[in-house]
Amino acid sequence: MNQQGYVATPPYSQSQPGMGGFSPGFGQPASSPLYGHYGDISPSSSAPQSAMLKTSVPLGPAAPMGSPPPSTHQFNQANIQNGPSSTAQQSNRYPAPPPSYSSYYHHPQASYPTSAPPSSTVQLINQFSNMQVNSYGPNNAPAIPPPPSSGLQPSLQGPPPPSQQAALSSGPPVSPPPVNNLNSHHSPPSLPPGARQEGIPGSSPLNANLQQQQLSDQPSGPGFPPQYGNFAPPMAGVQCSFQGGLPSGPAQLAGPQPKKLDPDIIPSPIQVIENDKIAKGGQIYATNIRGQVPPLVTTDCVIQDQGHASPRYIRCTAYCFPSSADVAKQAQIPLAAVIKPFASVLPNETPLYLVNHGETGPIRCNRCKAYMCPFMQFIEGGRKYQCGFCNCVNDVPPFYFQHLDHIGRRIDHYERPELSLGSYEYVATLDYCKNNKPPQPPAYIFMIDVSYSNIKNGLVKLICEELKTILDRLPREEEEESSAIRVGFVTYNKVLHFFNVKSNLAQPQMMVVTDVSEVFVPLLDGFLVNFQESRSVINNLLDQIPEMFADTNENETVFAPIIQAGMEALKAAECAGKLFIFHSSLPTAEAPGKLKNRDDRKLVNTEKEKTLFQPQTNIYETLAKDCVANGCSVDLFLFPSQYVDIASMGLITMHTGGTLYKYNNFQVHSDSHQFLNDLRKDIEKKLGFDAIMRVRTSTGFRATDFLGAIYMNNTTDVEMAAVDCDKAVTVEFKHDDKLNEDSGALIQCAVLYTSMSGQRRLRIHNLGLNCSSQLVDVYKSCETDALINFFAKSAYKAILSQPLKTVREILVNQTARMLACYKRNCASPSAVSQLILPDSMKVLPVYMNCLLKSCVLAGRPEISTDERAFHRQLVMAMDVAGTQLLFYPQLLPIHTMDFNADVFPTAVRCSEDRLSEGGLFLLANGIHMFLWLGVSAPPELIQGIFNVPSFAHVSTEATILPEVESPYSSKLRAMIDHLQSKSPHSMKILIVKQREQPEMVFKQFLVEDKSVYGGASYADFLCCVHKEICQLLN
C-alpha cells in the first residue's frame, strides 16, 4: 500500500501552505501560512505543490505554486498542540488569520489553459454517476472502467463488494431551485445548482459564462425569530460560490437547464442509522474485544461490560489508532474520545460496583499512578504485576496477593470488578479529601430573582409552588431512604435576602444584605437545612415569598454578588453544592459584574465578531475559578425578554459544570410546562460534586486538549464543581512515539468526586483500542458521530479567538483532506473525478454541512447574539448522541404510524421533499420540537389528535397536545414523552401549519435543504467537497 502520498510532491502527511493552498485574498500569496489540524509543514520538501484547495471561491485566480516558506518549522512532537517548535510562533489548530483579507470582488476571473468546458449537465452526471461508497477493498484491486452513462442506482443497505463500483445516477431533468439574494456583502452568495455543476472535477475548466449569471429575483424571507436560531444562515466562506457582486434578476443560464442531482443516490443518514439498528438493535453488546466499533448512538441495545468501558461512558473518533504520528498526519483524522463519566445506564444493565480496600486505598502503579485495572499483567506467580500503561513492574501488596491459574490469570479474576470490568468505583481514603477530612454532604441553594417583571408575570409564584413538591425528590444514593442534600433559600433584586428556615422556628426569618460590593453571608445556623426536618418552615416561606414582594417596583438586578454569596455560604458550611438561579434580565444595578448591552449585530462577519462570544468583564472568569475551587456549581434558568449577555453570564455555568436553560419571553400559560419539566429533571439528576478528572494513556500517545463545560488550572487535570449524567468532555490525543500494534492504545479515565451522600470516591473507566500502520484499518474503525462532536467543540472553542470565516474554511479543508487521503491510499484505483467515501464516513459531508449551517458558525445578523452564545454553551457540554440529534434532527412521519403497534415510525430524511400535504410530521433536535401539519392531513387524524374537525380548526397557540381518548392521541403523546425522556432539555412543542408564516422557522431545521438564508444544501455541499478532493488529488 502506498503511504507516501503524492508522487513528485511532498508527502500527503504534510500540510500544504495556506488554508488548503489558497491565499487569504484568493489572489496573492499568503503572508503567513495557515495550517490544518496536525501542525505545520516540513521545510525539507522542495517539490512544487500540485493540489491547491480554494475553499470559498471557485472562480478566483489559481493559487500560487511553490515550496513552503522557509520560516516554517519541523513537526515538533514535544509541543502539546503539535505546532511549530519555535516559541515565537505557536500554531493552533485554528490558526490566526493573516493580517489582511483582500476583497472578494476585485479579482480577475481565472484563466485556465484548457479546452472549452463540457456542459454543466454532462459534468454533473459524469461526477455523480461515478460516486462510490467504498467497502474497504484492497487498494491493489484491478482498475475498473467507469460505468455506462445510464448508471446503476446502488442499494445503500450496505457497502458494495470491493470488486464492484457502486454507481450513482442523477435523477430526471428538473429546473434548478430558486435562489434568493439574502447573501450580505460579508459572505459570498450561494451558488445556484447550475453554477455549482461547473468545474466539480478539479481538472475541468470553469464555464466563463457563469460569471454573468444572475440570481433570480426573489423577495427575502422574513426575519429569523431569535428563539429558533439554529440551522439557519449561510456558511460564508465555505460554499462554492460566485465571485463578484450579483445583481438580482432572472437567471440567465447558458445552454439547456441543468439536471438536479437526485437526493436518493447520495448517502442517507437515515439509511445508515436504520442499517445499524437492523444489525445490532435489541442485542447484547459485550465489551470483551479490544478496539471493536460499538453500535451507533441511535441504536438501542444492552451493553454488557466485559473488560472495556461501555460506549455510554466513552466513544472514540476511531477505534484503531494510527501506529505513528506520520500515519496520523497523513490521514488527518482527529484522534479523540468523548467521555461521559456519569452516563446513565439502562435498568437492565449492571450499575457500577464499588470497591473498598479500606485504609489502604486503591492499588496504583508506582510510576504512572494508573489504577488497578484489567490491563495490568500479573507475573512471578502473582507476586508482581506489570503496568499496562507504562510497563513498570510493581509489587503486589500482601493483602491483595492471589495465585495465578494455568493461563497466568488470577484465580479471583472474576470476583474483583477492577480486574474483570471496564468501569467501576473505589472508595477513596482521606488522602484524596481536602485537608484530609471527610467531606460533608452537599447542599442546594435556590436563588430567586424577585424583580418587578418576575413578580408581575407569575414566575416567582410558579417557582415557589413547584419547590414545595419537588424537594421531596432530591437525589439520593440507591441504599439511602432519604436524600442527604441540604437546602437553602435566597431572594434578590438590587439587594440580597437570606432566610433562616431552622426546623424549630415558627416562622422563617429574613436577613437583608444591602452591601453588594463585598457580599457576606449573614447567618450560618439555619440557612442550610434538611428539607424533611424543616418542611413546615420551608413551605411557609415559599407561600410568603410571592406576597412579600407583590408590591415591588424594583427592576434592576445584580448577578455576580448572588453567586459570590452562594459560594461563600457553601464555603462556610465546608461542603460542595449547587446554586439554582432563576434570573430574567441584564444585571444593570451598581455592583460587581454589572453588564451593559453590547448586542451589536454590525460586528457579525467582521474581525471583531469573536468579541460577541467573549465575556465583557473578567470578573465572571475569576468568580468561576473561585466557584470551582470551592465545589460550587451553578445552574442558571434564564427568562429573558431582551438581550442578557449569555456570553458573560453563562460563563460561570459553563466552567462549573452547571446547566444553562433559557425561556425567551416567558409566559406562564404557554411555557410553564417546559420550564417545570426542566426544573424537575435538573433537581433529580444524579451527579458528583467537587470533581477532578485525569486521563492517562499507554506509552506512545497522550491527551493534549480537553473540550467541554470544564475548568482547567493546569494541562492535565479537568476540574468540575459538579458533573452530572449529561455532561461529556471531549479529549484529543496526539502521538509522542510509535504505538505497539500488539499491546494497542490504552486509555484510563479517573474521576475523583464527592457522592450525593458525602462520600469521596474514584470512578474509573478503561478502554483499549487497536493500533495499525495501515490507513485502511484506521478508516474502517472511525465513528462519524464522534467526529462531528469533536469538530463542533473544536470549532466552537476556536471562535473565541479566530474569525468565523477561518474556522469554517478549516472544517471544509479537513473534511476534504480526510476523504482525499482515503481515496489515494485505501480505495481501489479509479478516476480522479470519482467521489469515493469510506463506509464509516459516508455521511460525514452531510453532518459537516449541518455543523457549518448551525447558528453559531453561520454568522447572520438575523440571529440574536444570545441565541448563538446559548447554543455554543450547550454544545460544549454535549455527548455524542446530543450533537448527532442537534445537527441532524429526527423527522418522523406520524401519519404512517401503526397506532395499534408498539413501534414508532422510521424517520425520514430532513428535507422538504419528504413532506407531503396529506401528512403529519414530528421534528425534534433535542432543543426544539415541531409538529407540522399538511393542508390535506386526514380529518380523522386531526380529530383524533386535536379533538377538532379539520385542519382549519387547529390552533397553533397550544404548546401541549390535548389528552384525547383515541389511539392517535395516545400513541403520539407516548412518542413525544419518549423523545423528551432521552433529551437533557425539555422541548417545547410548536404546532406548524403548511403554508403559514411559522413554517419558515420549521424549514430551517430541514438541514439537507438549502437554507432560506443561504446555507448550502447537502447536494451542493457534496459537490463543493468533491471539488476540493479533486484539487487535492490532481
Side-chain angles (χ1 to χ4, degrees):
M1 180 177 294
N2 173 20
Q3 295 184 16
Q4 294 304 311
Y6 300 126
V7 179
T9 62
Y12 189 70
S13 59
Q14 295 166 200
S15 301
Q16 311 296 325
M19 181 57 58
F22 61 71
S23 59
F26 305 101
Q28 294 77 31
S31 55
S32 61
L34 295 176
Y35 301 118
H37 184 73
Y38 275 95
D40 51 15
I41 326 163
S42 167
S44 61
S45 65
S46 57
Q49 302 291 342
S50 65
M52 296 294 176
L53 277 182
K54 293 179 286 188
T55 307
S56 296
V57 184
L59 295 179
M65 308 264 181
S67 58
S71 61
T72 54
H73 303 280
Q74 290 283 0
F75 174 76
N76 178 12
Q77 293 175 338
N79 188 304
I80 217 166
Q81 294 295 338
N82 281 12
S85 55
S86 163
T87 54
Q89 181 191 356
Q90 291 288 327
S91 167
N92 295 326
R93 176 184 309 105
Y94 291 91
S100 65
Y101 282 81
S102 304
S103 165
Y104 272 97
Y105 306 127
H106 305 298
H107 298 299
Q109 185 174 342
S111 58
Y112 291 83
T114 49
S115 58
S119 76
S120 57
T121 305
V122 174
Q123 274 201 11
L124 194 69
I125 293 176
N126 289 346
Q127 280 307 305
F128 283 93
S129 65
N130 289 333
M131 182 172 164
Q132 174 183 344
V133 177
N134 201 297
S135 58
Y136 310 104
N139 82 336
N140 57 359
I144 295 166
S149 59
S150 59
L152 296 173
Q153 183 160 330
S155 163
L156 289 177
Q157 296 292 333
S163 61
Q164 177 185 346
Q165 298 282 8
L168 296 173
S169 63
S170 54
V174 182
S175 299
V179 186
N180 62 38
N181 55 357
L182 288 176
N183 291 287
S184 69
H185 68 279
H186 294 300
S187 58
S190 297
L191 196 64
R196 287 178 196 279
Q197 292 157 0
E198 290 296 332
I200 298 296
S203 58
S204 298
L206 296 168
N207 191 335
N209 294 326
L210 285 177
Q211 199 160 10
Q212 280 76 45
Q213 182 178 343
Q214 297 177 336
L215 293 176
S216 59
D217 191 10
Q218 181 180 344
S220 61
F224 196 79
Q227 64 264 38
Y228 306 123
N230 188 18
F231 299 102
M235 316 173 295
V238 178
Q239 306 166 58
C240 299
S241 52
F242 282 112
Q243 180 192 10
L246 294 170
S248 60
Q252 299 171 356
L253 285 175
Q257 290 291 311
K259 291 183 180 180
K260 183 181 177 183
L261 184 64
D262 183 358
D264 287 328
I265 68 170
I266 55 181
S268 161
I270 301 302
Q271 193 68 60
V272 170
I273 289 168
E274 290 304 312
N275 286 350
D276 197 70
K277 286 180 179 177
I278 292 168
K280 302 174 182 176
Q283 301 177 14
I284 292 178
Y285 171 77
T287 66
N288 57 342
I289 301 172
R290 188 185 78 192
Q292 64 178 333
V293 181
L296 297 179
V297 285
T298 45
T299 299
D300 291 326
C301 61
V302 177
I303 313 289
Q304 195 174 81
D305 187 342
Q306 293 188 6
H308 296 272
S310 161
R312 301 197 197 286
Y313 297 120
I314 306 180
R315 280 188 175 268
C316 295
T317 55
Y319 292 86
C320 178
F321 275 15
S323 58
S324 68
D326 288 340
V327 180
K329 283 177 70 179
Q330 191 173 352
Q332 292 278 303
I333 297 170
L335 306 177
V338 185
I339 302 174
K340 190 174 164 187
F342 279 75
S344 301
V345 297
L346 296 181
N348 54 349
E349 293 177 0
T350 309
L352 298 191
Y353 288 97
L354 183 61
V355 179
N356 190 348
H357 287 327
E359 294 182 5
T360 312
I363 298 170
R364 307 177 67 179
C365 171
N366 292 327
R367 182 193 291 166
C368 70
K369 302 301 179 187
Y371 295 88
M372 178 58 67
C373 68
F375 306 145
M376 304 300 189
Q377 183 65 46
F378 288 88
I379 55 176
E380 296 187 20
R383 293 188 297 276
K384 295 182 185 290
Y385 68 92
Q386 184 173 21
C387 175
F389 295 90
C390 68
N391 297 321
C392 175
V393 175
N394 299 267
D395 290 327
V396 173
F399 84 93
Y400 200 69
F401 173 78
Q402 184 56 271
H403 294 285
L404 308 183
D405 63 14
H406 64 287
I407 57 170
R409 179 189 287 166
R410 283 172 57 119
I411 294 171
D412 62 353
H413 176 85
Y414 290 108
E415 297 166 20
R416 291 193 177 272
E418 72 273 23
L419 299 182
S420 56
L421 299 178
S423 301
Y424 44 89
E425 290 195 315
Y426 283 117
V427 175
T429 60
L430 290 179
D431 297 337
Y432 295 87
C433 303
K434 282 184 180 176
N435 306 320
N436 288 345
K437 289 167 56 180
Q440 297 290 326
Y444 284 177
I445 302 177
F446 298 91
M447 314 184 98
I448 305 170
D449 169 2
V450 289
S451 58
Y452 173 79
S453 60
N454 284 4
I455 294 290
K456 200 73 177 171
N457 68 9
L459 176 62
V460 172
K461 184 174 176 62
L462 180 72
I463 292 169
C464 291
E465 285 298 318
E466 182 63 23
L467 287 177
K468 285 194 286 188
T469 58
I470 203 171
L471 292 177
D472 275 320
R473 303 208 290 267
L474 289 171
R476 57 185 173 83
E477 300 292 347
E478 298 291 342
E479 65 278 4
E480 291 181 334
E481 290 185 10
S482 63
S483 176
I485 294 173
R486 294 169 291 167
V487 294
F489 301 88
V490 177
T491 57
Y492 68 95
N493 39 48
K494 281 173 68 173
V495 296
L496 280 65
H497 321 104
F498 288 77
F499 295 95
N500 185 344
V501 285
K502 201 171 182 181
S503 57
N504 58 6
L505 293 175
Q507 288 286 332
Q509 298 173 347
M510 181 170 82
M511 295 186 173
V512 182
V513 175
T514 56
D515 183 6
V516 291
S517 58
E518 291 189 18
V519 74
F520 66 95
V521 182
L523 76 158
L524 290 179
D525 188 32
F527 178 61
L528 295 178
V529 298
N530 181 292
F531 173 65
Q532 302 299 341
E533 294 173 2
S534 298
R535 179 191 293 270
S536 60
V537 189
I538 290 173
N539 285 345
N540 205 338
L541 168 67
L542 294 172
D543 286 333
Q544 290 179 26
I545 285 176
E547 305 300 325
M548 208 181 300
F549 299 99
D551 299 325
T552 185
N553 290 315
E554 187 56 70
N555 257 324
E556 287 193 318
T557 57
V558 297
F559 186 66
I562 61 160
I563 296 173
Q564 183 78 37
M567 182 190 70
E568 295 292 346
L570 294 175
K571 188 176 178 181
E574 296 184 339
C575 71
K578 180 171 283 218
L579 311 182
F580 294 81
I581 302 176
F582 306 91
H583 190 88
S584 64
S585 60
L586 196 68
T588 54
E590 284 301 327
K594 175 183 176 181
L595 299 173
K596 63 177 188 289
N597 190 331
R598 53 163 188 162
D599 187 18
D600 187 358
R601 308 282 177 92
K602 293 175 183 174
L603 297 181
V604 174
N605 283 314
T606 69
E607 286 289 314
K608 292 185 177 179
E609 183 174 10
K610 57 181 178 253
T611 61
L612 298 175
F613 298 102
Q614 299 166 353
Q616 61 174 282
T617 168
N618 62 5
I619 188 170
Y620 290 103
E621 187 86 46
T622 306
L623 195 51
K625 181 179 179 180
D626 293 342
C627 283
V628 171
N630 290 285
C632 172
S633 177
V634 179
D635 280 0
L636 179 57
F637 294 81
L638 277 175
F639 306 87
S641 56
Q642 53 193 4
Y643 177 75
V644 290
D645 198 354
I646 286 174
S648 296
M649 294 176 67
L651 196 71
I652 302 257
T653 304
M654 189 153 110
H655 283 327
T656 61
T659 308
L660 177 62
Y661 301 90
K662 183 164 73 74
Y663 313 91
N664 291 352
N665 302 309
F666 182 84
Q667 301 290 327
V668 168
H669 67 275
S670 61
D671 299 307
S672 60
H673 181 74
Q674 180 192 12
F675 161 59
L676 294 179
N677 279 346
D678 279 335
L679 179 59
R680 290 164 191 156
K681 204 179 284 190
D682 196 55
I683 286 181
E684 294 173 20
K685 276 181 188 174
K686 295 190 175 180
L687 67 171
F689 298 90
D690 201 8
I692 300 176
M693 182 176 98
R694 180 172 285 193
V695 177
R696 293 178 172 86
T697 58
S698 53
T699 53
F701 75 115
R702 59 197 162 85
T704 58
D705 202 8
F706 298 85
L707 307 162
I710 54 176
Y711 182 81
M712 296 195 71
N713 228 354
N714 54 46
T715 58
T716 56
D717 293 332
V718 177
E719 297 183 48
M720 296 169 282
V723 54
D724 62 41
C725 57
D726 298 317
K727 299 294 185 296
V729 180
T730 302
V731 184
E732 186 181 11
F733 303 102
K734 293 280 176 66
H735 289 76
D736 49 20
D737 203 348
K738 287 198 86 168
L739 298 178
N740 186 318
E741 295 190 24
D742 294 330
S743 56
L746 309 180
I747 299 169
Q748 183 179 82
C749 167
V751 184
L752 174 65
Y753 73 99
T754 301
S755 73
M756 294 172 291
S757 61
Q759 187 179 48
R760 204 69 174 149
R761 294 181 184 174
L762 282 150
R763 180 169 287 211
I764 313 294
H765 299 297
N766 305 286
L767 184 66
L769 307 174
N770 289 335
C771 300
S772 177
S773 59
Q774 303 298 313
L775 281 168
V776 69
D777 294 333
V778 178
Y779 277 95
K780 199 171 183 177
S781 74
C782 287
E783 184 180 314
T784 298
D785 294 332
L787 279 168
I788 289 298
N789 181 281
F790 171 82
F791 281 129
K793 291 184 180 181
S794 298
Y796 285 10
K797 179 182 178 182
I799 61 173
L800 294 177
S801 55
Q802 305 299 333
L804 265 73
K805 179 173 177 290
T806 304
V807 174
R808 288 189 293 255
E809 286 170 350
I810 289 179
L811 289 173
V812 179
N813 176 268
Q814 190 158 353
T815 304
R817 287 184 179 279
M818 289 159 60
L819 299 177
C821 175
Y822 176 81
K823 178 168 182 178
R824 174 167 288 278
N825 296 285
C826 308
S828 303
S830 60
V832 171
S833 61
Q834 189 175 25
L835 177 58
I836 298 179
L837 302 172
D839 193 52
S840 63
M841 288 187 188
K842 61 187 176 188
V843 292
L844 179 66
V846 64
Y847 284 173
M848 185 62 78
N849 189 37
C850 296
L851 168 58
L852 289 162
K853 289 199 288 187
S854 69
C855 69
V856 180
L857 294 184
R860 292 297 294 187
E862 294 91 347
I863 305 176
S864 76
T865 305
D866 272 346
E867 192 66 29
R868 297 174 73 192
F870 174 65
H871 275 263
R872 178 185 172 273
Q873 183 159 329
L874 290 189
V875 169
M876 290 304 290
M878 272 187 184
D879 64 349
V880 175
T883 50
Q884 190 278 332
L885 184 61
L886 178 69
F887 293 127
Y888 197 91
Q890 257 188 309
L891 184 61
L892 300 164
I894 304 304
H895 56 285
T896 65
M897 183 163 56
D898 183 348
F899 290 93
N900 298 313
D902 290 335
V903 294
F904 294 149
T906 301
V908 297
R909 295 174 71 162
C910 273
S911 170
E912 190 173 358
D913 293 343
R914 309 292 161 166
L915 303 179
S916 59
E917 289 190 356
L920 276 73
F921 290 83
L922 186 70
L923 184 145
N925 76 341
I927 299 173
H928 303 292
M929 183 179 282
F930 297 88
L931 183 57
W932 182 90
L933 313 178
V935 290
S936 305
E940 65 273 14
L941 206 54
I942 298 290
Q943 178 73 48
I945 292 172
F946 297 100
N947 204 23
V948 296
S950 71
F951 174 87
H953 292 83
V954 176
S955 167
T956 56
E957 299 297 317
T959 56
I960 307 174
L961 294 183
E963 294 189 18
V964 183
E965 290 295 325
S966 79
Y968 304 122
S969 175
S970 303
K971 189 67 183 285
L972 180 55
R973 284 186 287 110
M975 184 192 302
I976 289 171
D977 290 344
H978 175 72
L979 293 173
Q980 297 278 24
S981 70
K982 296 177 76 170
S983 172
H985 284 70
S986 179
M987 294 175 276
K988 178 180 173 181
I989 302 173
L990 298 170
I991 297 169
V992 175
K993 288 182 171 182
Q994 187 180 11
R995 298 175 192 159
E996 292 191 2
Q997 185 69 18
E999 192 184 24
M1000 298 295 289
V1001 177
F1002 167 75
K1003 285 182 179 179
Q1004 302 310 303
F1005 297 85
L1006 301 177
V1007 291
E1008 287 199 22
D1009 297 340
K1010 180 173 180 176
S1011 166
V1012 182
Y1013 297 99
S1017 70
Y1018 172 24
D1020 288 348
F1021 182 72
L1022 199 58
C1023 292
C1024 195
V1025 171
H1026 188 194
K1027 180 175 183 293
E1028 301 273 351
I1029 294 169
C1030 291
Q1031 288 180 320
L1032 278 170
L1033 295 177
N1034 270 342

